Amino acid sequence: GSQESLSCDASGVCDGRSRSFTSIPSGLTAAMKSLDLSFNKITYIGHGDLRACANLQVLILKSSRINTIEGDAFYSLGSLEHLDLSDNHLSSLSSSWFGPLSSLKYLNLMGNPYQTLGVTSLFPNLTNLQTLRIGNVETFSEIRRIDFAGLTSLNELEIKALSLRNYQSQSLKSIRDIHHLTLHLSESAFLLEIFADILSSVRYLELRDTNLARFQFSPLPVDEVSSPMKKLAFRGSVLTDESFNELLKLLRYILELSEVEFDDCTLNGLGDFNPSESDVVSELGKVETVTIRRLHIPQFYLFYDLSTVYSLLEKVKRITVENSKVFLVPCSFSQHLKSLEFLDLSENLMVEEYLKNSACKGAWPSLQTLVLSQNHLRSMQKTGEILLTLKNLTSLDISRNTFHPMPDSCQWPEKMRFLNLSSTGIRVVKTCIPQTLEVLDVSNNNLDSFSLFLPRLQELYISRNKLKTLPDASLFPVLLVMKIRENAVSTFSKDQLGSFPKLETLEAGDNHFVCSCELLSFTMETPALAQILVDWPDSYLCDSPPRLHGHRLQDARPSVLECHQAAA
Ligand SMILES: *[C@@H]1O[C@H](CO)[C@@H](O)[C@H](O)[C@H]1NC(C)=O
Ligand SMILES: *[C@@H]1O[C@H](CO)[C@@H](O)[C@H](O)[C@H]1NC(C)=O
Ligand SMILES: *[C@@H]1O[C@H](CO)[C@@H](O)[C@H](O)[C@H]1NC(C)=O
């Protein structure tokens, strides 16, 4: 019957996705190691259906409309390590399914319409479990103390509880060690209680889709906590100025926290934070990295200057604020960021005029890396001049800005060694580019030549331009790496490559190679080429002559006649 449409490879990996199976297909064997039956219409798994595949390690049954599984359906699967039952129609879960699965490391039960996790504890026999995903959007409403019995340590625990109505206190406390906990909660109602229970076990807490507008701190009923929590992330969450202040109060319980992240969050406020309120922390403790991506601020135009958080961020070393309509970092704020070494403001609205205010005298005194990719900078000369205040700057990324043609001379911070000018529309490189560079990226531009002497350059990225030949080796006496893919280079020779004294890596695939006698003889006689050309041989195809078009250089043979003529 349906067995023909299951395709298995020699190692026992079987693919039965989207085959319209209405039951587990027959003909399963002990040779099968992995079975993927997702996106079918299976509805029912009977007690003998999986009996034959006793060596199965991976079983994927997601999105297959399963509503019933017999109690002993998995009894022969003692070797199973990965079980995915997500997005089915299971309205109740039975502990008898999981009893025999003592090898299980990964279990996904998410997206089924159950309200609780079974009448009795589901997981006491899963002593090897590392990853567990549970819950759903609509019906999962209660987390109980029996739910996690038997689990002591997990790498990843994800709980989707967007309709949670009851959290029995201590429920999550029994798991002593959780590397990464992801909680989808729509309201902050149980947040404090859960937070207290996971404080001594979770290293990375990720909160998703939570409206924190009404979050109110109150002291936790814990004494002597030493929390291992290092990272805290909010994704798709809503905050207000007030609730931000309330959240800050949690920091006193997580003294080892080093990284905070906000992705796709909405701030319904004006940036009028008030961390100096009575009992609030005055600094972020050990937090070194703050990352904000796609922050939405509806009342953006009324936004405050953030002066209330200046002192909070004095010790922070890495800040990313990406795609969040930043057009200015006020001078006094920049001056307070005394420890900042890395600042990424990609995909914002910075122009030279405001950048000048942000990088004012005394701004970011420790800054080493500045990323201004995809902003609205236009003048390379002005940008360099503005950044002269950053004495410690070694790395500047101004890629994806559309620059006017560069002048012959520019000024840059003295210590600059890395410059990224990719996708900036440049047609010509001039001596505006600083001689101090060790790494230069000019990929994806309109360059048809490159003739600039860069005595310290070690890495040149010049892919996706219009060069017809390799640049002259005498320009870069210490070059180690060159990436020049997707240009119009037609050939390279022994002399040319030999003239780069230190070149270790060349990526030159997807060019327009003319497979002449000389080029093909050279590649044939130089097997060591494969060690330098990292994308050899698949990206090196002959463009011409017509008889060799599309052949790999490695396989193409020169014509005897042509080589004879060349020799003569
Ligand atoms: C757990 O495993 C043991 C042996 O490994 C077995 O005897 C017991 O029945 C299992 N528990 C359940 C609930 O199946
Ligand atoms: C560079 O940063 C260090 C701290 O990392 C600081 O002591 C020094 O003053 C900075 N240099 C300049 C020129 O600002
Ligand atoms: C330069 O910037 C581009 C685009 O922003 C990025 O993809 C690339 O990795 C950067 N180059 C280097 C060498 O980091």
Side-chain angles (χ1 to χ4, degrees):
S2 46
Q3 192 220 339
E4 303 86 83
S5 33
L6 198 63
S7 50
C8 299
D9 72 10
S11 64
V13 174
C14 300
D15 181 4
R17 284 173 298 171
S18 308
R19 304 291 211 279
S20 305
F21 289 130
T22 53
S23 60
I24 299 283
S26 55
L28 304 184
T29 73
M32 294 176 171
K33 290 273 158 49
S34 167
L35 177 58
D36 188 346
L37 293 171
S38 36
F39 308 106
N40 283 293
K41 301 169 184 166
I42 290 171
T43 67
Y44 170 81
I45 303 180
H47 80 110
D49 287 355
L50 292 161
R51 186 185 44 212
C53 43
N55 296 310
L56 212 55
Q57 289 167 2
V58 176
L59 177 58
I60 303 177
L61 292 163
K62 72 177 172 198
S63 299
S64 279
R65 304 192 193 173
I66 298 163
N67 58 43
T68 309
I69 300 176
E70 294 292 340
D72 51 1
F74 300 144
Y75 77 97
S76 62
L77 305 183
S79 305
L80 199 68
E81 294 179 3
H82 183 115
L83 176 59
D84 187 344
L85 287 166
S86 61
D87 299 322
N88 281 295
H89 297 174
L90 297 164
S91 55
S92 64
L93 302 173
S94 163
S95 59
S96 55
W97 302 341
F98 306 110
L101 305 181
S102 52
S103 305
L104 209 61
K105 293 181 181 162
Y106 174 101
L107 176 60
N108 191 344
L109 297 169
M110 213 179 249
N112 283 282
Y114 45 81
Q115 293 176 4
T116 60
L117 290 184
V119 181
T120 53
S121 304
L122 295 178
F123 315 121
N125 265 19
L126 305 188
T127 49
N128 293 304
L129 202 64
Q130 293 172 359
T131 302
L132 176 62
R133 303 193 197 288
I134 55 165
N136 58 46
V137 175
E138 308 240 302
T139 61
F140 186 59
S141 55
E142 199 179 353
I143 296 177
R144 301 156 311 163
R145 214 165 299 157
I146 58 160
D147 288 343
F148 302 101
L151 300 176
T152 54
S153 160
L154 288 174
N155 248 331
E156 275 194 77
L157 173 59
E158 183 170 2
I159 305 179
K160 197 175 262 188
L162 291 162
S163 303
L164 191 66
R165 283 204 304 270
N166 190 26
Y167 175 82
Q168 213 173 58
S169 69
Q170 314 255 315
S171 295
L172 279 162
K173 202 161 187 166
S174 60
I175 316 176
R176 287 195 295 272
D177 180 14
I178 305 175
H179 192 90
H180 180 182
L181 171 63
T182 306
L183 279 176
H184 306 245
L185 294 174
S186 53
E187 292 293 331
S188 56
F190 301 103
L191 191 57
L192 266 180
E193 218 170 335
I194 293 176
F195 191 77
D197 284 351
I198 60 163
L199 207 48
S200 56
S201 57
V202 171
R203 278 177 268 178
Y204 170 16
L205 174 62
E206 181 178 340
L207 210 57
R208 284 183 173 258
D209 306 321
T210 312
N211 187 344
L212 292 161
R214 280 187 286 173
F215 175 73
Q216 278 248 291
F217 174 82
S218 64
L220 301 184
V222 288
D223 32 49
E224 272 316 295
V225 268
S226 83
S227 173
M229 197 179 296
K230 290 252 192 227
K231 180 168 176 181
L232 184 55
F234 300 87
R235 306 202 201 285
S237 297
V238 177
L239 293 119
T240 61
D241 294 348
E242 296 76 29
S243 62
F244 180 81
N245 287 338
E246 294 297 295
L247 283 171
L248 278 179
K249 297 178 190 177
L250 293 175
L251 289 179
R252 75 177 67 157
Y253 300 100
I254 40 180
L255 299 173
E256 294 300 314
L257 194 70
S258 73
E259 189 173 354
V260 186
E261 206 167 291
F262 298 88
D263 276 350
D264 300 296
C265 289
T266 299
L267 178 60
N268 282 325
L270 306 176
D272 181 18
F273 308 123
N274 201 351
S276 55
E277 241 175 42
S278 57
D279 57 348
V280 177
V281 279
S282 62
E283 57 177 51
L284 290 180
K286 293 190 182 169
V287 173
E288 293 193 336
T289 305
V290 176
T291 303
I292 298 172
R293 298 188 195 90
R294 298 172 300 277
L295 179 67
H296 177 54
I297 305 174
Q299 288 180 296
F300 167 69
Y301 51 94
L302 291 175
F303 211 63
Y304 277 52
D305 65 356
L306 292 174
S307 54
T308 50
V309 296
Y310 287 3
S311 60
L312 218 54
L313 296 169
E314 253 170 34
K315 290 192 180 166
V316 173
K317 289 188 179 162
R318 303 171 60 86
I319 295 183
T320 298
V321 183
E322 191 183 292
N323 197 349
S324 300
K325 297 201 172 82
V326 177
F327 60 91
L328 174 71
V329 183
C331 170
S332 50
F333 192 7
S334 301
Q335 289 168 337
H336 271 88
L337 296 169
K338 291 199 171 67
S339 310
L340 200 65
E341 294 170 5
F342 174 97
L343 176 60
D344 182 347
L345 294 172
S346 294
E347 296 177 58
N348 283 298
L349 308 171
M350 299 292 286
V351 296
E352 285 84 355
E353 194 185 348
Y354 290 126
L355 180 62
K356 190 168 182 170
N357 192 291
S358 306
C360 61
K361 194 162 189 293
W364 312 316
S366 309
L367 198 66
Q368 293 166 8
T369 301
L370 178 60
V371 183
L372 292 168
S373 181
Q374 201 172 331
N375 276 271
H376 295 274
L377 303 172
R378 291 288 174 268
S379 163
M380 220 174 278
Q381 189 180 25
K382 270 193 202 155
T383 301
E385 223 172 277
I386 289 164
L387 300 179
L388 286 175
T389 50
L390 308 177
K391 307 290 184 208
N392 274 339
L393 196 74
T394 56
S395 165
L396 177 64
D397 181 346
I398 45 176
S399 61
R400 293 147 77 200
N401 289 276
T402 308
F403 286 108
H404 301 316
M406 64 182 92
D408 285 321
S409 101
C410 299
Q411 287 176 284
W412 300 96
E414 241 168 59
K415 294 189 189 167
M416 226 170 73
R417 294 195 304 260
F418 172 98
L419 180 61
N420 195 337
L421 293 174
S422 71
S423 310
T424 52
I426 52 176
R427 295 167 180 277
V428 181
V429 287
K430 296 202 174 158
T431 44
C432 167
I433 290 176
Q435 295 238 314
T436 52
L437 292 185
E438 290 172 12
V439 180
L440 173 63
D441 191 336
V442 286
S443 309
N444 198 27
N445 283 302
N446 292 309
L447 302 173
D448 51 23
S449 67
F450 191 102
S451 49
L452 200 63
F453 180 57
L454 295 169
R456 299 189 203 165
L457 200 70
Q458 294 175 8
E459 299 178 22
L460 176 64
Y461 300 92
I462 194 167
S463 292
R464 281 171 281 125
N465 277 284
K466 297 173 178 167
L467 271 68
K468 296 202 174 66
T469 60
L470 297 184
D472 198 272
S474 62
L475 300 168
F476 328 108
V478 296
L479 197 70
L480 299 172
V481 175
M482 175 155 59
K483 302 203 172 177
I484 187 166
R485 295 174 56 86
E486 296 174 61
N487 276 273
V489 174
S490 59
T491 192
F492 46 80
S493 67
K494 190 174 185 162
D495 290 345
Q496 234 178 352
L497 287 187
S499 60
F500 289 93
K502 301 197 157 185
L503 197 65
E504 287 170 0
T505 301
L506 177 64
E507 210 176 284
D510 297 320
N511 273 290
H512 304 310
F513 293 109
V514 177
C515 289
S516 62
C517 172
E518 193 196 2
L519 178 59
L520 294 179
S521 309
F522 168 53
T523 57
M524 273 165 64
E525 288 158 12
T526 321
L529 215 50
Q531 281 148 33
I532 294 178
L533 299 176
V534 286
D535 48 349
W536 181 267
D538 289 346
S539 308
Y540 293 78
L541 305 180
C542 300
D543 197 41
S544 63
R547 103 184 144 82
L548 292 176
H549 180 83
H551 288 68
R552 300 194 306 186
L553 262 68
Q554 190 187 40
D555 310 326
R557 290 291 164 263
S559 90
V560 177
L561 177 62
E562 196 206 342
C563 287
H564 181 73
Q565 281 171 349

